[in-house]
């Protein structure tokens, strides 16, 4: 066990210790956890105040300084468990859930040992691919598989604030203990903060009575800045302007939430570059809410460092435990949620979440080509499945259409242009493209990414995500507008664009033409009105035979 590099490198970030290839809790911690496991008649832990005293004793046994916790943490635990919980809720928590958590944490060393023993066997492929718990640093593509029982134990450590703070800030890691979550409740009480904690407490109530089975995968995806013969590297503008890939289907939903989509589409997390954003603090917008209703997502905050512009994070297999209403200050926990998603052949629920961070407060710079490119490449990284590109290459070859070289700069630059392809050949290409998609109907479910609190232009972001999903060979994009007035004509504009049979390259070039004019102050209207002014009561724009705007 001690020879495993992944474990040795990550051990300083775990609360357990290792000696002679064995992971264990210090003896005083074992005794304290055993007392908790026996229930309040033995441990005398029957209130939030006493629970936090027990937590402090365990932290002291682990040589964790109480000074590293938020100042009002103890008061937050007391407020929630002693005042905000009903008497019956409190009784069940201390008589049933806390003992179950004590037993679960006692098993953490053995759960970790079993995890590392099986970490190289999860993916049944020829080469040994490591999936063990380790730091997934920036620019290091990799994947970690965690059993859901291990995730539950790790989150139990977060609740008890047992993770060391060992240079997490220097490593660009998020906070992982729950001290700020509870301290914020006391320091600036709000119903939304109480509801966030209720979601997490509900998760522990559920897993203490019925431990979930299966696994969750956490993957750091990277588009390399340097060329790679086996991977798509970070695209430049020419990659997009010359793309001949057809635009995928575009579905507009004016109501509903991304996580309520009934299919298996990839759900976009409007992420902070630090995964989870303010989930364990005061934050309560799209990303934070998703982490509260599916707390297994929080486990990724333990080992995934901040994302760079060429990176995304893909998480597959989490379960949703809570229902909710509202958003931001109106967010409210509204009870249990029964997640009926199927399980894949690796034991993961078919819930796919991709975290991509948009530009924050971009202002007018978001219209400059450099930043449009940054946003589309970020979304492309998140939506891309590299293996599908290899299948797409095969289809090109089967049709006799070649590319000079299948890399980021020339993948979509076909020697045979669309103008030279007969209608019959083009239809054959489209049929083959659709045939490739049969049996793999995993589209993208998204919405106003990078808008709202981040201040992005929703019309620009909608088109950028459509282009990225199409280029990534996703069969459709389901776009949730959340009733935003600026997008009231999105469905009509998307339908018109599809009727023109534009490619990714065509729409990209149109978007860049608009963005250039917008950044120079030559237009102040949104992209949808600029492209189709007739929908807004103005004269229609003219396009030539190549689909180019006639000015």
């Amino acid at each position: 066990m001690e020879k495993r590099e992944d474990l040795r490198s990550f051990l300083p970030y775990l609360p357990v210790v290792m000696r002679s290839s064995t992971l264990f809790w210090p003896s005083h911690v074992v005794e304290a956890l055993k007392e908790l496991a026996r229930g309040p008649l033995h441990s005398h832990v029957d209130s939030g105040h006493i629970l936090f005293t027990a937590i402090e004793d365990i932290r002291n046994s682990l040589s964790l300084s109480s000074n590293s916790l938020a100042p009002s943490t103890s008061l937050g635990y007391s407020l929630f468990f002693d005042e905000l919980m009903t008497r019956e809720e409190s009784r069940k928590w201390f008589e049933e859930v806390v003992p179950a958590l004590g037993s679960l944490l006692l098993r953490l060393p053995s759960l970790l040992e079993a995890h590392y023993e099986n970490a190289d066997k999860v993916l049944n492929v020829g080469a040994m691919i490591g999936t063990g718990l380790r730091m997934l640093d920036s620019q290091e593509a990799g994947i970690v598989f965690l059993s859901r029982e291990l995730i539950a134990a790790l989150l139990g450590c977060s609740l008890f604030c047992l993770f060391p703070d060992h240079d997490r800030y220097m490593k660009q890691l998020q906070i992982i203990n729950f001290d700020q979550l509870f301290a914020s409740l006391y320091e600036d009480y709000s119903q939304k903060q109480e509801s966030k904690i209720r979601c997490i407490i509900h998760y522990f109530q559920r897993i203490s009575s019925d431990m979930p089975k299966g696994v969750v995968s956490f993957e750091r995806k990277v588009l390399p800045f340097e060329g790679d013969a086996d991977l798509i590297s970070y695209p430049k503008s020419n990659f997009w302007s010359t793309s001949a890939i057809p635009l995928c289907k575009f579905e507009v939903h004016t109501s509903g939430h991304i996580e309520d989509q009934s299919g298996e589409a990839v759900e976009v997390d409007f992420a902070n570059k630090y995964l989870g954003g303010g989930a364990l603090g005061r934050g309560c917008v799209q990303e934070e809410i998703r982490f509260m209703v599916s707390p297994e997502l929080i486990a990724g905050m333990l080992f995934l460092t901040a994302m760079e512009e060429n990176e995304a994070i893909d998480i597959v297999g989490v379960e949703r435990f809570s229902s909710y209403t509202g958003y931001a200050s109106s967010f409210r926990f509204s009870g249990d949620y029964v997640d009926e998603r199927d399980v894949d052949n690796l034991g993961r629920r078919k819930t796919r979440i991709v975290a991509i961070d948009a530009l924050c407060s971009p202002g007018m710079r978001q219209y400059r080509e450099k930043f449009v490119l940054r946003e589309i490449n970020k979304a492309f990284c998140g939506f891309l499945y590299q293996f599908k590109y290899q299948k797409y290459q095969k289809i090109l070859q089967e049709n006799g259409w070649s590319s000079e070289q299948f890399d980021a700069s020339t993948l979509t630059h076909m020697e045979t242009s669309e103008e030279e392809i007969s209608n019959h050949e083009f239809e054959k290409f489209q049929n083959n493209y659709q045939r490739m998609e049969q049996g793999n109907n995993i589209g993208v479910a998204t919405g106003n990414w990078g808008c709202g609190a981040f201040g992005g232009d929703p019309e620009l972001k909608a088109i950028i995500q459509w282009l990225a999903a199409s280029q990534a060979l996703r069969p459709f994009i389901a776009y949730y507008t959340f009733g935003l007035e600026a997008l009231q004509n999105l469905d009509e504009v998307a339908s018109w664009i599809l009727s023109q049979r534009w490619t990714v390259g065509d729409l990209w070039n149109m978007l860049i033409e608009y963005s250039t004019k917008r950044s120079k102050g030559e237009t102040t209207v949104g992209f949808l009105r600029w492209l189709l002014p007739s929908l807004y009561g103005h004269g229609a724009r003219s396009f030539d035979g190549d689909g180019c705007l006639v000015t």
Side-chain angles (χ1 to χ4, degrees), residues 336-348:
D336 189 40
Y337 181 89
V338 179
D339 193 331
E340 298 179 344
R341 290 279 173 91
D342 290 335
V343 176
D344 67 16
N345 58 5
L346 292 174
R348 304 176 298 181

Side-chain angles (χ1 to χ4, degrees), residues 101-207:
L101 291 177
S103 296
L104 177 60
L105 291 190
L106 281 170
R107 298 199 304 276
L108 177 60
S110 61
L111 289 171
L112 284 167
E113 287 184 352
H115 164 76
Y116 284 108
E117 286 171 4
N118 296 299
D120 300 328
K121 307 170 186 175
V122 175
L123 298 177
N124 187 21
V125 294
M128 296 282 279
I129 297 179
T131 64
L133 176 59
R134 63 197 186 280
M135 196 72 69
L136 286 182
D137 278 319
S138 179
Q139 306 305 318
E140 294 181 11
I143 191 166
V144 167
F145 278 77
L146 300 177
S147 75
R148 297 181 64 199
E149 185 176 16
L150 176 55
I151 289 174
L154 294 171
L155 294 184
C157 291
S158 291
L159 177 67
F160 288 0
C161 301
L162 301 184
F163 286 107
D165 294 326
H166 182 76
D167 72 357
R168 292 189 65 83
Y169 178 78
M170 296 296 294
K171 290 288 291 185
Q172 291 199 309
L173 286 165
Q174 278 274 46
I175 59 169
I176 191 64
N177 290 322
F178 290 174
D179 56 311
Q180 290 190 20
L181 188 67
F182 282 89
S184 297
L185 179 70
Y186 176 81
E187 293 168 358
D188 186 20
Y189 172 81
S190 64
Q191 285 185 277
K192 61 96 172 172
Q193 193 73 5
E194 177 185 341
S195 289
K196 287 176 63 178
I197 295 175
R198 285 195 177 276
C199 287
I200 290 180
I201 295 306
H202 180 66
Y203 162 77
F204 286 122
Q205 292 169 333
R206 283 271 303 270
I207 63 101

